[in-house]
Amino acid sequence: MEEPLTVVILAAGLGTRMKSRQAKVLHRAGGRYLVEHVLRTAQALAPPERIFVVVGHQSAEVRAAIQTAGVGFIDQTEQKGTGHALMVAADTLGDLDGRLVILYGDCPLVRPETLRGLVAAQESSGAAGAILTAVMDDPTGYGRVLRDVEGRVTGVVEQRAGTPEQLLIREANMGLYCYRAAPFWRHIQELRPDNPAHEYYLTDMVEILRRAGDAIAAYCIDDPREVLGINDREELAVVDRLLRERKVRELMLAGVTIEKPETVTVDPDVTIGIDTIVEPFAQILGQTTIGENCRIGACSIVRDSDLADEVEVGQFTMIGTSRLERGAHAGPYARLRMENYLAPGAHVGNFVELKKTRLGAGSKAMHLAYLGDSEIGAKVNVGAGTITCNYDGYHKHPTKIGAGAFIGSNSTLVAPVEVGDGAYLAAGSVITDDVPADALGVGRARQVNKIDWARKRRELK
Ligand code: UD1
Ligand code: CA
């Protein structure tokens, strides 16, 4: 029978090199918090009840970011180093047998396969533990792996504590470990902060176990890019780019055309149907689903929205928490701010803003309008410059426009107000009272022409 496996994720540090007020693991790459990526990888290895996250800096926010039932938390209120995090964790985990996999929360790219390889390396070597290493062109900042003449791992020396000679070693500790739980917990309290940083280094466990007569194996992987740890914003950008590349490549292989994919940002949970075209610099974010045969215009931002098949989003359009049915169009330069619904074939054109508005099938608002808290029936034409006055300074009020109505340009609809089916509003009207079905609503002063007025004025000069 396989031995049970416990995963611990270290996520308590502030991350000084980020120069941020926010805990490092709460920075985002590839559309997720760093710690979320690591947690997902951990979930491929162990059930949630066997996953523990060590939290400290902004622990409430880190817990909220994780939100996975069953996952346990351990508070490390003072952060005295990666080893200290495990010394604190010993109270909770010290009795759990089997294997212990330790991951750092700032290492979001690692794949479950790689961790399985690490566990297998520990198992097959019979060593008390295995550490994941890689030979790097530039290992600056990483701990260096020390080996004896026979090539056995004897320790890890940190950048700050290394001698010039040791710092020439290019094999680096990537910060992922698999230990047999029993010897690990037996020796964890032997860590000492006897280094220039006065921290308890988890990496010292290698030497401690060696001295106790236990071997430590190294699992050396070929491509260190997968296990890059993020320490500063430059590394954050590198990892973000790698994760974005993974997502757009997946979509392209699944039948989505992505123009200039290096400029496009797609969050991990987004789904897109085949033959949809995504133009350069588009951002498709959050829990968005897009159907087949759609077009997402250049520089558009679609967030947490559902687009059915054959939807067109013009350039520079923003869509948030909205649903667009088959054949609907929005943009260019439109803003569907929140909770809107476009029925099949509805069109929203340039410089139109919608908020909490339903636009019926085949209805159009093509230019320069604000429609807020509105319910608009099918086949309505909303003229340029139409404004719903939905806010009186205290409350929001609804506007209702019946099917087939024609809203003349520059109409001002003072809500709450209702325009009946098939009604017609004269251009430039201020509509303060309901307009019955099939009526004409005129809400403006009549035009007066003063004959010869202009000529006389000129002659007076
Ligand atoms: C660590 C390793 C180094 C390795 C590198 C790989 C140690 C001593 N060094 O260095 O050998 O090459 O990772 O990326 O382990 N954390 C806590 N509590 C603490 C301190 C840190 O939970 O008291 C967490 C941090 O939130 C972070 C992780 O541990 O997620 C790693 O800490 P970090 O300070 O980034 O370690 P490195 O200096 O990068
Ligand atoms: Ca790090």
Side-chain angles (χ1 to χ4, degrees), residues 296-346:
I296 309 299
C299 301
S300 290
I301 303 176
V302 181
R303 184 189 294 278
D304 295 323
S305 295
D306 293 318
L307 278 52
D309 296 343
E310 276 153 47
V311 166
E312 289 233 5
V313 176
Q315 296 90 352
F316 297 95
T317 293
M318 282 163 217
I319 299 179
T321 59
S322 297
R323 175 160 177 87
L324 280 66
E325 296 289 3
R326 190 186 190 89
H329 284 213
Y333 299 100
R335 182 170 186 211
L336 276 60
R337 188 142 59 92
M338 61 198 275
E339 293 172 43
N340 300 291
Y341 176 81
L342 299 194

Side-chain angles (χ1 to χ4, degrees), residues 17 24 106 230-231:
R17 288 162 282 182
K24 177 161 64 177
D106 65 352
I230 294 176
N231 295 312

Side-chain angles (χ1 to χ4, degrees), residues 24-240:
K24 177 161 64 177
V25 296
L26 289 176
H27 285 264
R28 294 173 81 92
R32 286 193 180 121
Y33 297 115
L34 298 183
V35 67
E36 245 182 305
H37 287 285
V38 180
L39 179 71
R40 277 168 191 259
T41 309
Q43 282 177 290
L45 251 71
E49 299 70 40
R50 280 262 178 182
I51 299 175
F52 295 85
V53 185
V54 179
V55 292
H57 266 283
Q58 294 179 307
S59 61
E61 288 86 347
V62 176
R63 283 166 193 254
I66 283 170
Q67 277 184 358
T68 304
V71 171
F73 292 93
I74 294 163
D75 285 299
Q76 184 196 12
T77 35
E78 259 186 298
Q79 292 80 43
K80 299 190 205 158
T82 49
H84 180 251
L86 273 299
M87 293 165 88
V88 171
D91 286 345
T92 315
L93 307 181
D95 294 332
L96 292 177
D97 55 349
R99 293 199 161 70
L100 180 68
V101 168
I102 303 168
L103 308 175
Y104 291 167
D106 65 352
C107 182
L109 291 172
V110 62
R111 291 168 308 150
E113 299 91 280
T114 306
L115 290 180
R116 284 195 201 102
L118 174 69
V119 174
Q122 186 272 315
E123 242 165 15
S124 64
S125 66
I131 67 172
L132 197 123
T133 71
V135 176
M136 301 179 80
D137 292 334
D138 177 14
T140 308
Y142 285 82
R144 310 297 208 284
V145 179
L146 307 178
R147 294 176 183 261
D148 64 14
V149 280
E150 270 110 61
R152 288 175 302 212
V153 177
T154 55
V156 173
V157 62
E158 290 305 299
Q159 175 81 30
R160 285 185 68 179
T163 63
E165 210 171 276
Q166 288 169 328
L167 295 181
L168 292 175
I169 298 171
R170 284 171 49 229
E171 187 182 5
N173 166 38
M174 306 316 290
L176 305 114
Y177 317 91
C178 172
Y179 281 105
R180 297 196 55 79
F184 183 87
W185 295 122
R186 203 179 315 126
H187 292 283
I188 185 72
Q189 304 299 341
E190 292 167 28
L191 290 174
R192 295 286 171 268
D194 50 2
N195 53 65
H198 305 294
E199 284 186 14
Y200 294 88
Y201 283 157
L202 178 58
T203 43
D204 288 349
M205 281 307 281
V206 174
E207 209 189 310
I208 289 173
L209 286 167
R210 281 276 303 174
R211 265 194 270 120
D214 288 312
I216 300 295
Y219 177 60
C220 188
I221 58 164
D222 293 331
D223 186 358
R225 273 183 310 177
E226 187 196 326
V227 281
L228 291 180
I230 294 176
N231 295 312
D232 57 35
R233 309 238 186 189
E234 194 184 2
E235 287 163 346
L236 184 70
V238 169
V239 167
D240 181 63

Side-chain angles (χ1 to χ4, degrees), residues 143 197 254 397 460:
H397 300 286
L460 275 174

